[in-house]
Each structure stands twice: as C-alpha cells, then as structure tokens.
Amino acid sequence: MSNVMTLLGKQIEVQISRKDLFEGLLIDFGQDILVLFNGQHFVYIPLLHIHNIKPSNKKNQIIDSPTEQSFTEEIESISYRKVLINAKGMFIEIYTTGNISFHGYILNVLNDYLIFYSPVYKIIFIPLNHVKWLTPYNHNVTPYALDNKALPVKPSNISFSRTLEEQLKKLEGELVLFDGGKDLMKVGLLKGIENNLIELVIANGETIFLKLNHIKSVHLP
C-alpha cells in the first residue's frame, strides 16, 4: 500500500475491466477502496474489481484539483463499508458488475448486501461484492429532477435480514427480478433457495436454478 500512497494527489489510470478505464486524481486510498476525482465527480472504487493502477501519461489532459471535498475526508481511515455507510441518504449512481447502473439512495448496509432505493425500481438488494463503483451526485441534483415531495425515500415494509440468502428466503413465493430483469431467464417466481442455489420458475413455467453468488441485484416488480 505504501507505494500506491505515493500517487496521492497525482493523476492516475485505473483499469477495472477491458472496457472500464478511469482517469483522474487519486484523492484517497484505503485497505479495500480508493477515491478518484475525474474532473467532475468523485468516484469510489472497491479494490476487489481493480485490475491495475498506474500513473497517467496523458500530459495534455490535465485534471484540475476538486473545488469541493470528498465526503471521505472526514473519515480517518477509509474502508469500503465506511464509504457505503457514510453515503447513506446521498443521491448516488451505483454501478454493478454486469454493466448495470442504478440511481437512488443507500438505505442500509448489511453483512453481505446493501439496500438501495431507486425511484424507478423501488427497493433493490445489491450484493456488496458486485458493486464496481459508486458516484455521488451534486447536492442540488435530485433523481430525474423530481420534486422532493414526489421522492419519498421509504425503507419499505419488509423486515431486512442480515444476509442476502436469508432475505431471499423471505421472498419465496414472490415474483422477483434479478440483475435488472433484462434477462428473461432471471425473471420469475422465487420457489426457494438452499445451499447458494436459487430455484426460479420463469414465464413459460420452466424451473431453472441460479447461483446466488453470481446475482448482481434483486428487486420486486
């Protein structure tokens, strides 16, 4: 970590995948997360998904230092969990593996997943190990330019369990959408979950099994 710390305040490149490459100033670095400023926004990236970090060689594309502070500057020693907890109530974009993006608010952080409120999808469960990065919006921005009165952030009437598997067991018998619902093989009736395997009945009545540790998000229609 000491060698990476020498890059603080300097412009770097962070590769998360073959397609995801960030350029910006390294603002902070913790045991499992880093903070980058890309010239417009602070980007919080868990180290779990980072392939490599290197000094930038783009001398003709200099990024100026931010005029505002990152909200982590008040945290003595940052960590992924501390970032998530301190981001509660902020309007953010959260990006998961599988190229799925949600806009809304973190309501709670549990053992292995977080509870997210989206004006579009309502309550979403997102496994912690599938968050690629998150970006807070400016304080004066509200989701989809909605009026605050039209944006009730309610924690829902569901009692939340400490783990995602326990939470999904409470949803047995409900229609669920996994990973944004874009794949029809991940939309259906949740029959049960056991030993990390989800039993799902899809639209045509066929039963399929999904591995829980590959699920990026869960919400109800």
Side-chain angles (χ1 to χ4, degrees), residues 78-179:
I78 69 166
S79 69
Y80 178 31
R81 182 169 288 272
K82 286 180 182 178
V83 166
L84 293 177
I85 291 172
N86 279 270
K88 288 169 63 175
M90 294 181 181
F91 175 37
I92 66 173
E93 177 181 7
I94 195 166
Y95 206 88
T96 72
T97 54
N99 298 323
I100 303 169
S101 180
F102 299 107
H103 304 261
Y105 302 87
I106 294 174
L107 296 181
N108 207 348
V109 182
L110 286 307
N111 287 6
D112 62 352
Y113 74 108
L114 62 86
I115 301 162
F116 195 78
Y117 176 84
S118 159
V120 175
Y121 300 99
K122 307 309 177 188
I123 298 298
I124 308 172
F125 306 125
I126 302 175
L128 298 185
N129 63 346
H130 283 303
V131 175
K132 265 190 174 180
W133 69 81
L134 59 95
T135 304
Y137 283 88
N138 294 331
H139 295 298
N140 59 348
V141 176
T142 57
Y144 310 98
L146 291 172
D147 185 273
N148 287 332
K149 294 180 180 178
L151 192 65
V153 181
K154 297 179 180 179
S156 168
N157 57 3
I158 301 173
S159 58
F160 302 121
S161 299
R162 301 305 301 174
T163 68
L164 183 57
E165 182 167 351
E166 291 171 354
Q167 182 60 47
L168 289 180
K169 287 180 179 178
K170 291 184 177 181
L171 300 180
E172 291 178 0
E174 300 275 359
L175 287 172
V176 296
L177 294 89
F178 295 112
D179 299 352

Side-chain angles (χ1 to χ4, degrees), residues 6-220:
T6 63
L7 296 175
L8 280 174
K10 297 180 180 179
Q11 194 161 322
I12 63 170
E13 291 181 4
V14 179
Q15 184 177 9
I16 298 180
S17 67
R18 287 187 300 174
K19 296 181 180 179
D20 298 319
L21 181 67
F22 283 95
E23 177 94 12
L25 300 177
L26 181 61
I27 300 300
D28 206 347
F29 189 88
Q31 59 185 8
D32 54 5
I33 195 167
L34 65 78
V35 185
L36 198 70
F37 180 69
N38 64 9
Q40 293 182 310
H41 304 287
F42 292 101
V43 185
Y44 301 80
I45 309 173
L47 300 186
L48 174 66
H49 300 293
I50 292 177
H51 289 200
N52 62 68
I53 302 168
K54 65 179 182 179
S56 173
N57 57 8
K58 298 179 181 177
K59 296 181 179 180
N60 60 336
Q61 299 179 17
I62 302 300
I63 295 175
D64 294 328
S65 298
T67 56
E68 297 183 0
Q69 290 187 340
S70 158
F71 72 81
T72 61
E73 298 220 1
E74 298 180 358
I75 304 175
E76 184 175 346
S77 177
I78 69 166
S79 69
Y80 178 31
R81 182 169 288 272
K82 286 180 182 178
V83 166
L84 293 177
I85 291 172
N86 279 270
K88 288 169 63 175
M90 294 181 181
F91 175 37
I92 66 173
E93 177 181 7
I94 195 166
Y95 206 88
T96 72
T97 54
N99 298 323
I100 303 169
S101 180
F102 299 107
H103 304 261
Y105 302 87
I106 294 174
L107 296 181
N108 207 348
V109 182
L110 286 307
N111 287 6
D112 62 352
Y113 74 108
L114 62 86
I115 301 162
F116 195 78
Y117 176 84
S118 159
V120 175
Y121 300 99
K122 307 309 177 188
I123 298 298
I124 308 172
F125 306 125
I126 302 175
L128 298 185
N129 63 346
H130 283 303
V131 175
K132 265 190 174 180
W133 69 81
L134 59 95
T135 304
Y137 283 88
N138 294 331
H139 295 298
N140 59 348
V141 176
T142 57
Y144 310 98
L146 291 172
D147 185 273
N148 287 332
K149 294 180 180 178
L151 192 65
V153 181
K154 297 179 180 179
S156 168
N157 57 3
I158 301 173
S159 58
F160 302 121
S161 299
R162 301 305 301 174
T163 68
L164 183 57
E165 182 167 351
E166 291 171 354
Q167 182 60 47
L168 289 180
K169 287 180 179 178
K170 291 184 177 181
L171 300 180
E172 291 178 0
E174 300 275 359
L175 287 172
V176 296
L177 294 89
F178 295 112
D179 299 352
K182 297 179 181 180
D183 183 349
L184 295 180
M185 299 292 284
K186 294 182 179 180
V187 178
L189 182 70
L190 179 59
K191 292 290 289 183
I193 178 169
E194 187 175 359
N195 297 327
N196 201 41
L197 278 178
I198 299 167
E199 183 178 358
L200 189 72
V201 179
I202 60 176
N204 64 4
E206 182 182 357
T207 297
I208 65 171
F209 294 90
L210 304 172
K211 288 288 295 294
L212 175 59
N213 56 3
H214 292 309
I215 295 300
K216 287 84 175 176
S217 69
V218 184
H219 73 276
L220 303 179

